[in-house]
Amino acid sequence: MKFLLITLEFPPDKGGVANYLAGICSVFKNVDILKPKLFRFFWPRWTSVFFQAFKIIRQNKTEMIIVSHVLPIGYVALVFKKLLGIPYIVFTHGMDVLLPQKNQHKKFWLKKILQNARLVVANSEFTQNVILNLIGDSENKKIKTEVIYPCPNPKIKTLQFNRDLSKKKVILTVGRLVARKGIDKVIEAMPKILKELPNAVYMIVGDGPLKKELREIVKEKKLGDKIIFCGDVQDSEMHVYYGMSDIFIMPSRNLDGDVEGFGIVYLEAALFGKPSIAGKDGGAPEAVLDGETGILVNSLNTDEIADAIIRLLKDDELRQRFGANAKERVVREFTWEKQVEKLQRYL
């Protein structure tokens, strides 16, 4: 079967969605990839995508369309189904089905596009439940959904970094510097952590619009060199940072629909045998199993965040056990071949 993936995010773009789609395409065969440009001064903006896609469909005899994010690309898939009878699959990620519900016009088309899809793929049970709640109990039987979890890059180096940090306890976050990641709360928790563990340091890998604000919190709390901003790091170098860490943390929170749909970074940390601390919102509780591969916390409670960090850094046996459980789980369950198998019956 010939597929056409239409998406606004794909490598070399960075980010979870781009890597997720690249992983899916690494298993699929015969996939053409269209990363289109939207019109800037013409409405509807997705009209340009229709013409770009039509050219590929005609030349390559596309049999099924795959779209990532429901809006605006989903409009194009719906039109091709109605005009040419080409079925489509929608991949959803959390925010793309939560945020449009604030607008009645977008909510109407969101439902219409999902209801007409051959299959709606969610990146977590959390996202799947958001979709089913949107559609409603009376119409749930008309829509087919499947959870396809993100998986870590199988080529990621998992060598432990030979560090000269034996006297340090390294807390690590990897992610874009935006409010929902909860990095601000970890920084605010550091004074309490340092009272118990003066050798703790917090390493932050990533960049983003919140960088200035986070630096201000560091300055206000007089944390000095206890907080290390590493900036953006190439994927090929990420093993250095995961390897030198003791625990991973990202206490993400739901900010009015801006939520972590899953969190691939928890699984990347798990590959290195690192336990994670995550927030209870969104899909994070599916990536981090509370009391088994890590600890779930109230993402707004700095005392709870600090206590979880202190607990893991002080208890070597617990930290190692959670880390080993996390690695065993990700190796067993989170491979692209295993996840993509779930799609076969819909093709």
Side-chain angles (χ1 to χ4, degrees):
M1 179 173 280
K2 289 285 293 182
F3 300 93
L4 171 61
L5 168 64
I6 310 176
T7 176
L8 298 178
E9 297 183 50
F10 200 82
D13 297 337
K14 290 186 176 182
V17 173
N19 291 335
Y20 179 59
L21 296 173
I24 295 292
C25 289
S26 71
V27 179
F28 264 102
K29 305 298 182 183
N30 299 318
V31 183
D32 295 311
I33 298 164
L34 172 61
K35 187 169 172 283
K37 294 182 179 179
L38 301 175
F39 279 137
R40 293 185 61 186
F41 305 109
F42 185 86
W43 190 89
R45 297 176 65 211
W46 54 266
T47 306
S48 63
V49 184
F50 173 83
F51 291 109
Q52 294 171 66
F54 182 70
K55 182 178 179 180
I56 296 173
I57 290 169
R58 185 177 57 184
Q59 289 178 345
N60 297 349
K61 299 180 179 179
T62 299
E63 297 171 90
M64 181 173 289
I65 295 172
I66 302 171
V67 296
S68 176
H69 296 84
V70 190
L71 301 177
I73 304 300
Y75 292 122
V76 178
L78 183 61
V79 169
F80 280 120
K81 180 180 179 181
K82 297 299 183 182
L83 289 181
L84 303 178
I86 300 175
Y88 63 91
I89 295 174
V90 179
F91 280 79
T92 60
H93 313 280
M95 288 171 53
D96 58 326
V97 290
L98 280 166
L99 297 180
Q101 295 185 46
K102 299 177 181 180
N103 178 292
Q104 286 303 311
H105 173 78
K106 290 182 178 180
K107 183 177 180 179
F108 172 83
W109 285 107
L110 178 69
K111 290 180 66 174
K112 185 70 68 177
I113 292 165
L114 294 174
Q115 289 169 325
N116 280 272
R118 169 75 64 85
L119 174 67
V120 178
V121 175
N123 67 341
S124 64
E125 290 182 10
F126 165 78
T127 303
Q128 184 184 50
N129 288 332
V130 169
I131 293 165
L132 295 177
N133 289 335
L134 168 67
I135 300 300
D137 292 339
S138 62
E139 301 177 48
N140 276 351
K141 292 182 180 179
K142 300 178 183 178
I143 183 171
K144 292 183 173 61
T145 64
E146 192 72 60
V147 174
I148 305 292
Y149 285 116
C151 301
N153 183 349
K155 296 181 180 179
I156 191 170
K157 297 178 182 178
T158 53
L159 298 174
Q160 297 294 325
F161 184 67
N162 186 16
R163 60 180 186 161
D164 186 20
L165 290 172
S166 58
K167 296 182 180 180
K168 299 290 186 182
K169 294 293 188 181
V170 181
I171 307 157
L172 175 68
T173 293
V174 176
R176 185 163 163 74
L177 306 189
V178 293
R180 79 167 187 271
K181 303 290 185 180
I183 298 169
D184 56 336
K185 296 301 180 184
V186 182
I187 296 174
E188 290 171 6
M190 282 299 291
K192 181 175 181 179
I193 295 166
L194 291 167
K195 286 180 181 179
E196 295 283 336
L197 294 157
N199 61 340
V201 294
Y202 180 32
M203 189 178 300
I204 303 166
V205 173
D207 206 345
L210 209 66
K211 184 176 182 178
K212 183 179 179 181
E213 182 178 328
L214 294 175
R215 287 188 178 276
E216 287 296 322
I217 299 173
V218 172
K219 184 177 179 181
E220 177 189 332
K221 299 289 183 181
K222 298 179 180 179
L223 291 169
D225 60 359
K226 295 296 184 178
I227 312 295
I228 304 170
F229 289 92
C230 303
D232 272 332
V233 172
Q234 296 295 320
D235 289 345
S236 61
E237 299 300 321
M238 279 307 307
H239 68 287
V240 174
Y241 297 88
Y242 284 120
M244 74 170 64
S245 68
D246 290 287
I247 63 172
F248 183 87
I249 185 167
M250 192 171 75
S252 55
R253 56 187 184 258
N254 189 338
L255 296 175
D256 195 24
D258 185 359
V259 66
E260 204 71 33
F262 183 68
I264 187 65
V265 286
Y266 303 116
L267 302 187
E268 290 180 352
L271 277 179
F272 291 83
K274 310 299 179 178
S276 289
I277 298 171
K280 297 177 181 178
D281 294 328
E286 297 169 60
V288 179
L289 302 184
D290 190 32
E292 185 177 337
T293 68
I295 301 174
L296 298 181
V297 296
N298 180 337
S299 55
L300 297 177
N301 189 321
T302 53
D303 283 335
E304 198 170 318
I305 291 169
D307 290 344
I309 292 172
I310 292 168
R311 181 186 174 197
L312 283 179
L313 291 182
K314 278 193 166 184
D315 192 333
D316 293 343
E317 188 279 330
L318 181 68
R319 185 174 68 252
Q320 291 167 11
R321 174 158 51 87
F322 281 0
N325 290 344
K327 183 172 183 177
E328 190 277 332
R329 178 179 181 240
V330 75
V331 170
R332 182 184 72 247
E333 297 182 19
F334 294 95
T335 66
W336 286 118
E337 289 77 11
K338 184 168 184 176
Q339 291 296 321
V340 173
E341 274 181 9
K342 302 173 186 178
L343 296 179
Q344 295 303 319
R345 65 172 180 250
Y346 301 101
L347 303 180

